[in-house]
Amino acid sequence: LFLGFAESVSDFDRLEEEHDNILAGADWAFAFQDGSLVKRYAWAMDSCLGTRGHWTDRKKLLDQALTATQNLEDKKGVSSSLLQLGILAQLTGDYAEARRMYQESLKILQELGDKSGLAISLAQLALLEEKEGNLKKALELIKKAESIFLELNSPMAAQARRDRERLEKSQGNSWLGRIFK
């Protein structure tokens, strides 16, 4: 009942009202090792939990989804869980953990040949590099992501282009960028 509700409702206020019940359902699915239900709960609630700042609940649910997808041998699901855990780690300032998660996700996506997922993970890693002040590495990564998005004719190419242009401008404006230009 609560999973169906979570999957069908996009109004975060309504999801917030049933927050505890929905997460109890996810805990029940995890306790009974129903990996497919755990995955569905995680994907249904991830945006709401992230947007509303429920970092602890989001981390727990994503950790459960990671375990469930690993048990199901669902490599795409594992990669998605790792990417979302990486984003969460980055948002909460744990850059080393974010980097580890992104790199694990990238490895799986390369094995799967998932170009779209690869481009998304590269773009996210570029944002991490930028956050840490590694503008040259960030620019290299976002260029790769943009190239893949363009190859796939993805609408995300436009965001990657804007990120690349911002990084190029930032690199050119930094005192090191001017010295080593």
Side-chain angles (χ1 to χ4, degrees):
L1 174 69
F2 290 110
L3 176 58
F5 179 76
E7 289 178 326
S8 66
V9 174
S10 59
D11 178 354
F12 289 171
D13 288 334
R14 291 185 61 208
L15 288 173
E16 188 78 32
E17 291 171 5
E18 296 297 340
H19 170 269
D20 292 342
N21 290 324
I22 294 168
L23 294 182
D27 286 341
W28 176 89
F30 187 74
F32 284 91
Q33 299 179 359
D34 190 332
S36 62
L37 283 182
V38 172
K39 240 173 54 170
R40 288 175 57 198
Y41 271 108
W43 300 162
M45 289 299 293
D46 190 55
S47 290
C48 178
L49 294 173
T51 301
R52 294 296 173 102
H54 295 290
W55 306 124
T56 303
D57 291 337
R58 186 177 185 207
K59 171 104 171 67
K60 179 182 175 184
L61 193 53
L62 288 171
D63 282 337
Q64 289 175 342
L66 179 59
T67 299
T69 54
Q70 288 169 332
N71 290 341
L72 292 169
E73 297 180 11
D74 172 5
K75 287 186 175 189
K76 177 71 173 162
V78 170
S79 175
S80 294
S81 298
L82 289 167
L83 177 64
Q84 292 306 316
L85 282 163
I87 291 169
L88 179 58
Q90 185 173 338
L91 288 170
T92 57
D94 190 348
Y95 299 149
E97 181 69 0
R99 179 178 312 286
R100 187 178 73 76
M101 295 291 177
Y102 294 151
Q103 289 172 339
E104 283 187 48
S105 176
L106 281 168
K107 181 180 175 187
I108 294 168
L109 292 164
Q110 287 169 336
E111 289 173 12
L112 294 174
D114 181 343
K115 289 184 177 185
S116 178
L118 186 62
I120 292 167
S121 289
L122 287 169
Q124 203 59 46
L125 188 54
L127 294 174
L128 176 62
E129 293 291 350
E130 179 184 17
K131 189 79 169 168
E132 292 188 314
N134 304 322
L135 298 181
K136 184 177 178 182
K137 183 67 175 174
L139 185 56
E140 176 187 317
L141 291 166
I142 201 64
K143 283 180 179 180
K144 286 180 185 178
E146 181 183 17
S147 175
I148 296 169
F149 285 137
L150 287 169
E151 176 187 334
L152 298 173
N153 199 27
S154 169
M156 294 179 75
Q159 181 61 52
R161 178 186 45 77
R162 287 190 295 273
D163 290 342
R164 176 185 47 78
E165 289 170 350
R166 186 188 71 254
L167 285 166
E168 287 171 340
K169 185 176 180 181
S170 294
Q171 192 173 28
N173 288 337
S174 74
W175 66 273
L176 284 174
R178 289 191 298 275
I179 291 171
F180 294 110
K181 208 170 192 181

